[in-house]
Amino acid sequence: MERIDHHSGGYAYLAGGTFASGGVIALAGMGIRHVVLDRPVPLLPGLDLVRRELDHAGRPLVALCGLELRLPAAMTEPRFEEFNGRYLEHLGRWGLLRDGSPPLARTNVAPSTAPPEVASLLAFSYTAPTLSDTDDMVITGVADVGPDGAAIQPGDMVESASFVAKEVSARITALGSRWAHGDRTHLYCARPAVFEIARSVLGPQSYGLVWHDSVPPVLGLELEIDVRRHHREQTLEIT
């Protein structure tokens, strides 16, 4: 993936994804703010909420650099493609596509416990000016799927976790950064035992690893990992 500077958005991104970039990193003088909703909100009302929050923060829509979505359940590939088509149409109406592709990072998983009834927004990230020397970033969720679109060694969680960890590391390097102790690494998998496998595979980079009882968005995939580093986080109460 190629790093491209998105100056009007205040971040650089890894181009090449169809429904999301490979990840984003704040440009000099900018930081990334992370906003977590206290409960998932259906996607379209959730995106309207994002617009209002950006307006309130005095930031343009192009400052939006990451979305975290939750699904009722994993989908078949055709349904996932249909979902992404509607998602991209909305981003296009907001003028957020670049050369037809979204520069935003995205994590999209299905919780195993208390999933939402419909596809929903749980959190979002956006850039804002900062005086700190920050290196904030968001790595798009990487699932255990190879370049050919097939799952990596189904059932072999060590092989799958190793593949995903290497891809995440490659994206961090491509953005011009490296792992740090302040990183928040999130593992999404319905198998609790995979947490220890991921810790072993990630080694020193497992500092701050958090397990979520969730699965990737496409049926047949078993784990996903994303990474976030931000200088400010807030929880937004939904009334």
Side-chain angles (χ1 to χ4, degrees):
M1 290 183 166
E2 176 190 5
R3 170 179 160 148
I4 298 177
D5 288 351
H6 184 10
H7 293 286
S8 58
Y11 64 92
Y13 65 96
L14 296 178
T18 55
F19 58 83
S21 69
V24 302
I25 190 167
L27 293 176
M30 305 296 288
I32 292 178
R33 297 181 181 179
H34 187 230
V35 181
V36 183
L37 313 186
D38 66 353
R39 61 177 174 82
V41 174
L43 186 53
L44 292 183
L47 291 175
D48 288 338
L49 181 152
V50 169
R51 180 194 283 271
R52 293 195 300 272
E53 286 301 311
L54 288 175
D55 284 344
H56 180 72
R59 297 296 293 149
L61 272 177
V62 289
L64 179 65
C65 63
L67 293 170
E68 294 159 54
L69 312 183
R70 295 297 182 265
L71 300 173
M75 305 176 180
T76 62
E77 288 189 20
R79 283 195 62 201
F80 187 56
E81 290 177 3
E82 179 184 346
F83 170 82
N84 285 327
R86 295 194 300 270
Y87 170 79
L88 293 176
E89 284 178 7
H90 198 91
L91 294 187
R93 287 195 293 271
W94 276 9
L96 296 182
L97 301 183
R98 304 194 84 202
D99 297 325
S101 297
L104 286 69
R106 191 180 90 177
T107 291
N108 191 14
V109 295
S112 301
T113 304
E117 295 183 359
V118 296
S120 300
L121 175 74
L122 180 64
F124 62 96
S125 299
Y126 67 94
T127 61
T130 178
L131 297 177
S132 356
D133 184 14
T134 183
D135 194 17
D136 293 352
M137 67 178 182
V138 181
I139 301 299
T140 287
V142 178
D144 54 332
V145 56
D148 60 354
I152 301 294
Q153 296 293 326
D156 186 339
M157 301 313 295
V158 174
E159 182 67 23
S160 295
S162 296
F163 171 85
V164 171
K166 288 178 182 176
E167 176 62 22
V168 169
S169 293
R171 294 184 183 190
I172 292 174
T173 300
L175 283 170
S177 189
R178 59 184 180 179
W179 292 91
H181 277 306
D183 295 346
R184 296 187 182 183
T185 304
H186 300 262
L187 167 69
Y188 307 90
C189 185
R191 301 189 190 191
V194 174
F195 180 81
E196 292 301 326
I197 294 174
R199 283 186 61 190
S200 175
V201 166
L202 287 167
Q205 286 76 41
S206 65
Y207 182 90
L209 179 65
V210 179
W211 171 64
H212 301 261
D213 187 7
S214 303
V215 295
V218 176
L219 288 168
L221 304 181
E222 296 197 74
L223 69 89
E224 183 164 324
I225 291 176
D226 66 22
V227 180
R228 289 188 291 277
R229 181 191 305 157
H230 41 75
H231 78 289
R232 178 175 168 182
E233 182 176 66
Q234 72 177 94
T235 299
L236 188 63
E237 293 185 7
I238 306 301
T239 56

